[in-house]
Amino acid sequence: MVDVGLVWGGLVVAGGCQPDTTPATTAAGPLQPGAVVTTAAGSRARVATPVSDAPDSTANARPAASPRFVVRLDTLPPAAWSNVRRVELYESLEGGEAVFYYQQHALRKIVARYLGETYQQRTTFYLRSGQPTLVVEQDYHYNRPITYDSAAMRANADTEAFDLAKSTIQTTRSYFGRGRLRYQAVSPANDSAAYLLREQRRLADQLRRLLAQAAAEN
């Protein structure tokens, strides 16, 4: 069962998520409720601000660093998760998998992998109080197709076979605060309000599909 209560950018997913009582912090200490966040930490608001087509005056604020709890989630031992659910994905040619990580009844992290013959896309959603605070997207472009083995290399007088370690990787980090996409670390950079709104909606749609696919397998 997907236990998450999420109101983000007009997306509403009902569930039995327990509220997150962990104080939001920055390097300087606890954030005050309702504060305008200029780091990746987000605010302590329990419900995200609905998406508006109006420009956001803080959209170009640069977060200083990833929130502490994101680092903590990535370093937790397997036993620290109360539940880990795996769901098959069918949106790419070679399929994929999404892994949902829970602490008690709260969904904290989703790692989705979409596989193709020449690429892999890995997207990680970090959730706090039922809404994303950081989304990390990694696009792997393989040096050769996954079926291109050593025999194919020799047959084509090539110098390389498929090797995941030789992939080129492009990483995009999307930082959220108060339910809005505040800043996206990507090359080339684009800080326009219209671009950030499109990206926020794209990520909201991806998250919606992941939660729906998980719910369908209950």
Side-chain angles (χ1 to χ4, degrees):
M1 178 179 181
V2 177
D3 294 323
V4 59
L6 177 65
V7 180
W8 176 50
L11 166 63
V12 180
V13 180
C17 176
Q18 297 296 322
D20 180 11
T21 58
T22 304
T25 60
T26 66
L31 294 173
Q32 295 301 315
V36 176
V37 177
T38 56
T39 71
S43 72
R44 296 179 63 182
R46 292 294 186 249
V47 178
T49 304
V51 170
S52 169
D53 290 329
D56 186 349
S57 61
T58 60
N60 295 330
R62 301 293 202 273
S66 298
R68 291 179 182 177
F69 95 100
V70 167
V71 177
R72 178 173 62 83
L73 291 182
D74 280 341
T75 56
L76 283 176
W81 298 107
S82 59
N83 189 20
V84 177
R85 294 192 59 231
R86 298 180 182 274
V87 175
E88 288 190 55
L89 303 176
Y90 304 99
E91 296 181 19
S92 57
L93 292 177
E94 300 295 330
E97 179 185 64
V99 185
F100 297 76
Y101 295 87
Y102 295 83
Q103 286 185 317
Q104 302 305 319
H105 297 290
L107 180 61
R108 298 297 195 193
K109 184 168 76 168
I110 305 172
V111 180
R113 295 172 65 236
Y114 305 89
L115 306 176
E117 187 176 356
T118 60
Y119 72 93
Q120 175 185 155
Q121 183 186 64
R122 183 178 302 177
T123 304
T124 304
F125 289 87
Y126 297 91
L127 305 172
R128 189 174 193 177
S129 299
Q131 53 185 302
T133 185
L134 174 65
V135 181
V136 179
E137 299 173 277
Q138 293 179 299
D139 293 313
Y140 291 72
H141 298 278
Y142 300 152
N143 66 319
R144 298 292 186 273
I146 56 175
T147 56
Y148 201 88
D149 57 14
S150 56
M153 178 185 69
R154 290 192 296 270
N156 289 279
D158 203 345
T159 58
E160 292 184 1
F162 166 73
D163 185 348
L164 181 62
K166 294 182 178 180
S167 302
T168 58
I169 306 173
Q170 179 177 354
T171 300
T172 301
R173 291 178 173 84
S174 299
Y175 297 88
F176 290 82
R178 298 177 65 192
R180 292 178 181 269
L181 177 57
R182 302 294 181 176
Y183 170 63
Q184 190 176 76
V186 65
S187 179
N190 189 337
D191 289 342
S192 73
Y195 171 80
L196 292 176
L197 184 59
R198 286 196 302 271
E199 286 295 283
Q200 176 172 305
R201 288 171 171 167
R202 177 181 67 84
L203 292 170
D205 184 61
Q206 183 178 358
L207 180 57
R208 181 187 294 109
R209 292 197 308 271
L210 288 170
L211 293 172
Q213 287 172 292
E217 294 199 7
N218 285 339

